[in-house]
């Protein structure tokens, strides 16, 4: 006990010395910059300091009164003692200073009096002191998640926490990933982040792609990073998919879910920091970099519509060498069957005239629902130290996926059917084969003078092949094949970065963090033509004595999706370079700022400059005000500039919806130019955000952020253009057998305003365990502030590039508001997660007038009570419940059961006149049309 009092007295004497005297007396200690492999778990900060001491050999003197109530964060990896300590103290009010050789003293704010403390209020954390009693504390239960995680997105510093961020950011950790019940990264984000919605519909060649919308903007206005490096986009262009038309964003399904340590979502424009695509924000996927391991098997199905799913996952980390190197390997595989949801009766004539079966045919033929999928993803993250200050690193993913789904039913008597081949009609089945990879490598570390660098290069490719079965080319008649190879597309991206950072002492309250960097990026896009039978015009006329004798059949090329034509095939490329500068600092205590600027130079459309300014004011601890102002841009993708394919979609003809092929037209092609198209230019944005952060207690956090995003020259895919002028332009370009065209343009400006609210409370329930409560919401509204005049060549036909349907998709096609309430209860080996998500009102606007009765049934022009008007669809607000219950059977063994959409809720049914070809439910619903999914999962940890 005398030794302990002597130590405490010495500690008290050291702490009574003023910080300036302490700093003046201390010299730079080489032990603080030595690198060690740290593994410090979440626990009371006092225990974490002892672990740091034991793992580094440095003694730490700390004030117990301030430290006792603080929970540490998880610190893991190869770093210097100084950096590890900074991460432990980030978000606290404690500062550190050298106190002699191998000793660090922690100090509380100056307004706290240490003279009132008892001698034992100051304690040592140490690796070992000969003859001294060890100061021990009762351990506390270790939570799985860190309530104040350090972020790496939207900042160039390494010690900033979520609560201290200059802009709103969400962090989804291991527990969120495990208990969400979602089977993909994309659905996880749509479930847990209120400002993100998932698109669940599409058509044609883009049918297998589902995208994200952040703050009501498009999926390609959201930048995706992996370990802070740009993730490549999918090769596929999303066509005919409501609010996400004309986009080719990154496909998050191709990242192994079990490879992820956490996901950071920056809800703020960040083009000045990261470049193109970050208008809405940034999703940064951080891969696992430890030596843990696990495996999981999930099985489930929907309640009513089949669609069983199976997913297996396994991952494990391994040490490399004695100096903290590692490699973490991950793999997951998925099997998913089609769901076949309830459909509506298909109207009209089924069989040839005179066939007695026309009296009462089976009119339920459609097969709408989720696709059938078989695929697998593998990933790795690796690092090897090189000397004392450098490390080589690499990470990557590889994926293969085959998705197959049913398109739209064609009746036996239809003009686009050959009765001799399909006497019962047919449904084209499209097959999408994805092969995707990304690999990154680099060298990072310190080069002297406190300058940190990161030199990296990343190469990625997404290659997609399309084929179709149970289809035909009606223009070839009975000679048509029923299987088609439609062609391929491929997108490649090569990105190289050099990032430099250094902390400067310029007399401010804290160091000034300076970061500069440069990036070079090159893209390639390829379209490979399909088999001739998938696109040729066979000019078939039914012979005499057969059904539809003498008539030219509707449809040229394979039905459903037409193959890529030779005229639209080719390879295109572009490159760009950029440079940025970023400053962050603390002017005085409670006042922080951030500044960023970026210059980009593209080979195909010139240069652009962006900037960002951020400020955070904390007048009192636990309450802060933050705000940002920034400009941004998004370059048109090569896909948007060059994609050319046709799909069979609904086209209103004389007031009646008909399934007809429509061609996506390259903006620089002959047909698009004839319709008034001009070359695309980048979108430009202006973002403003302001909010408050309340952290009145370590376990309670509330953020409220308002935002406004103005986008000029927004790149949008047009309405379906049809009619005589369009047909003439298509014919002049050699495009035959299609009923309309789609072209891109910078024809509109939009303004999005909204509000994000996120609150979290973690409570100890005594003998009842612990509970985490969260309540979050997003309110969002987009309006069009300007639409360019309609090109004169199509204006006379009454056509518009941006019409009421396109305006409706962007202004009303996603929920105007979204609320998420979640409770996670944990007691011993048992946990329960219950989540309620309320999606606000959605409106699907019609693009053209159709004939209908007062009860919205289709009718014929001129008949009694028949009206020609727009028939919009309204999705009423719905609340979706998700539930998961888990139990640990033994150490490292867990069994869980759960339900996504527990109450088996479906979206509104379409009005009869809009139930084209058997569709019944509104596919604009962000929760899909397949109903509830119920599953069981078995987890192992090793």
């Amino acid at each position: 006990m005398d030794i302990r009092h002597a130590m405490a007295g010495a500690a008290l004497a050291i702490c009574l010395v003023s910080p300036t005297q302490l700093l003046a007396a201390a010299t730079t200690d080489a032990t603080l910059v030595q690198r060690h492999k740290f593994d410090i778990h979440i626990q009371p900060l006092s225990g974490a300091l002892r672990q740091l001491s034991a793992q580094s050999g440095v003694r730490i003197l700390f004030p117990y009164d301030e430290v006792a109530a603080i929970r540490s964060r998880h610190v893991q990896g190869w770093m210097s003692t100084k950096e590890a300590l900074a991460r432990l103290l980030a978000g606290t009010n404690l500062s550190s200073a050298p106190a002699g050789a191998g000793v660090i003293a922690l100090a509380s704010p100056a307004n706290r009096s240490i003279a009132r403390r008892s001698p034992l209020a100051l304690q040592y954390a140490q690796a070992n002191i000969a003859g001294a009693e060890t100061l021990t504390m009762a351990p506390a239960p270790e939570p799985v998640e860190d309530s104040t995680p350090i972020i790496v997105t939207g900042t160039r510093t390494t010690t900033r926490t979520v609560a201290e961020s200059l802009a709103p950011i969400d962090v989804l950790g291991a527990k969120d990933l495990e208990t969400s019940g979602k089977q993909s990264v994309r659905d996880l984000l749509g479930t847990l982040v209120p400002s993100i919605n998932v698109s669940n519909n599409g058509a044609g060649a883009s049918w297998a792609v589902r995208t994200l919308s952040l703050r009501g903007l498009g999926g390609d206005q959201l930048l995706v990073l992996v370990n802070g490096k740009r993730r490549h986009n999918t090769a596929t262009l999303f066509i005919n998919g409501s609010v996400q038309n004309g986009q080719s964003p990154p496909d998050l399904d191709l990242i192994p879910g079990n490879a992820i340590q956490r996901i950071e979502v920056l809800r703020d424009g960040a083009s000045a920091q990261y470049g193109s695509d970050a208008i809405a924000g940034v999703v940064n996927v951080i891969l696992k970099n430890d030596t843990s391991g696990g495996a999981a098997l999930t099985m489930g199905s929907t309640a009513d519509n089949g669609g069983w799913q199976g997913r297996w996952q396994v991952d494990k980390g391994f040490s490399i060498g004695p100096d903290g190197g590692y490699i973490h390997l991950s793999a997951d595989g998925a099997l998913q069957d089609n769901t076949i949801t309830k459909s509506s009766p298909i109207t009209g004539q089924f069989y040839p005239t005179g066939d007695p079966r026309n009296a009462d045919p089976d009119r339920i033929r459609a097969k709408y629902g989720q696709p059938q999928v078989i695929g697998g993803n593998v990933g790795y993250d690796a690092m090897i130290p090189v000397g004392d200050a450098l490390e080589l690193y690499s990470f990557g993913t590889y994926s293969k996926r085959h998705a197959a789904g049913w398109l739209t039913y064609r009746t036996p008597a239809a003009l686009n059917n050959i009765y001799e081949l399909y006497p019962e009609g047919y449904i084209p089945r499209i097959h999408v084969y994805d092969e995707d990879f990304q690999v990154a490598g680099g060298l990072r570390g310190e080069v002297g003078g406190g300058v940190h660098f990161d030199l990296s290069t990343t190469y990625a490719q997404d290659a997609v092949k399309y084929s179709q079965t149970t289809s035909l080319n009606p223009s070839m008649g009975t000679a048509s094949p029923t299987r088609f190879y439609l062609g391929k597309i491929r997108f490649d991206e090569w990105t190289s970065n050099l990032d430099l950072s250094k902390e400067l002492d310029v007399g401010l309250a804290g160091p000034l963090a300076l970061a500069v960097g440069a990036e070079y990026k090159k893209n390639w896009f390829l379209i490979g033509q399909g088999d001739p039978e998938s696109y040729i015009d066979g000019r078939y006329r039914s012979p005499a004595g057969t059904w539809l004798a003498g008539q030219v059949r509707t449809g040229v090329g394979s039905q459903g999706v037409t193959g890529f034509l030779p005229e639209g095939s080719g390879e295109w490329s572009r490159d760009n370079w950029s440079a940025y500068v970023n400053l962050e600092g603390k002017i005085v205590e409670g006042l922080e700022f951030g500044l960023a600027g970026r210059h980009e130079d593209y080979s195909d459309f010139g240069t652009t400059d962006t900037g960002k300014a951020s400020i955070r004011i904390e007048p009192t601890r636990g309450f802060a005000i933050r705000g940002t102002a920034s400009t941004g841009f998004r370059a048109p993708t090569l896909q948007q500039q060059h994609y050319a394919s046709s799909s069979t979609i609904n086209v209103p003809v004389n007031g009646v919806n008909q399934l007809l092929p429509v061609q996506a037209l390259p903006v620089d092609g002959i047909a698009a130019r004839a319709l008034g198209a001009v070359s695309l230019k980048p979108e430009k944005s202006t973002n403003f955000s302001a909010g408050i952060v309340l952290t009145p207690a370590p376990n309670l956090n509330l953020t409220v952020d308002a935002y406004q995003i103005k986008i000029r020259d927004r790149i949008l895919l047009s309405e379906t253009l049809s009619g005589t002028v369009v047909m003439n332009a298509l014919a002049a370009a050699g495009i035959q057998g299609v009923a309309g065209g789609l072209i891109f343009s910078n024809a509109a400006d939009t303004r999005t305003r909204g509000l994000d609210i996120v609150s979290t409370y973690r409570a100890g329930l005594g003998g009842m365990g612990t509970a985490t409560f969260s309540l979050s919401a997003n309110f969002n509204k987009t309006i069009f502030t300007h639409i360019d005049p309609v090109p004169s060549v199509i204006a006379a036909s009454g056509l518009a590039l941006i019409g009421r349907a396109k305006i409706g998709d962007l202004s009303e096609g996603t929920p105007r508001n979204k609320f998420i309430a979640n409770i996670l209860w944990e007691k011993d080996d048992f946990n329960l997660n219950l989540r309620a998500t309320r999606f606000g009102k959605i409106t699907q606007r019609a693009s053209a007038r159709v004939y209908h009765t007062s009860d919205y049934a289709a009718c014929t022009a001129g008949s009694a009570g028949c009206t020609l008007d727009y028939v919009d669809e309204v999705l009423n607000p719905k609340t979706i419940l998700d539930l998961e219950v888990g139990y640990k059977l033994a150490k490292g063994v867990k069994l869980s059961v759960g339900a996504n959409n527990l109450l088996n809720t479906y979206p509104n049914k379409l009005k009869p006149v809009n139930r084209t070809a058997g569709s019944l439910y509104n596919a604009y619903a962000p929760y899909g049309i397949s109903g509830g999914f119920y599953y069981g999962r078995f987890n192992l940890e090793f």
Side-chain angles (χ1 to χ4, degrees), residues 36-40 75-79 87 289 324 326 383:
H36 304 274
K37 182 183 178 182
F38 290 99
D39 189 6
I40 303 172
V75 175
Q76 186 176 53
W78 189 257
M79 67 192 75
R87 294 190 180 190
N289 60 0
Y326 67 86
M383 185 275 291

Side-chain angles (χ1 to χ4, degrees), residues 799-823:
L799 299 173
L801 296 180
I802 309 300
R804 74 183 308 272
K806 180 61 61 179
I807 293 172
D809 281 348
L810 270 69
S811 61
E812 300 177 286
T814 55
R816 289 289 298 276
N817 52 69
K818 179 179 174 184
F819 299 87
I820 304 174
N822 196 99
I823 178 172

Side-chain angles (χ1 to χ4, degrees), residues 64 364 386 540 658 757:
Y64 175 73
I364 305 297
V386 180
Y540 175 76
Q658 296 185 25
I757 303 173

Side-chain angles (χ1 to χ4, degrees), residues 622 694-701 760-761:
L694 293 172
T695 53
N699 56 350
L700 176 62
N701 185 68
T760 303
Y761 176 64

Side-chain angles (χ1 to χ4, degrees), residues 346 365 407-414 416-417 422 424-428 471 558-561 647-649 659-660 917:
I346 297 173
R365 301 291 185 99
L407 300 178
T408 307
Y409 175 71
R410 278 76 167 163
T411 62
N416 53 11
N417 179 41
Y422 292 112
E424 288 295 327
Y426 66 102
I427 304 179
S471 183
S558 55
Q559 286 293 286
V561 177
S647 302
T648 305
I649 63 173
L659 281 171
L660 297 171

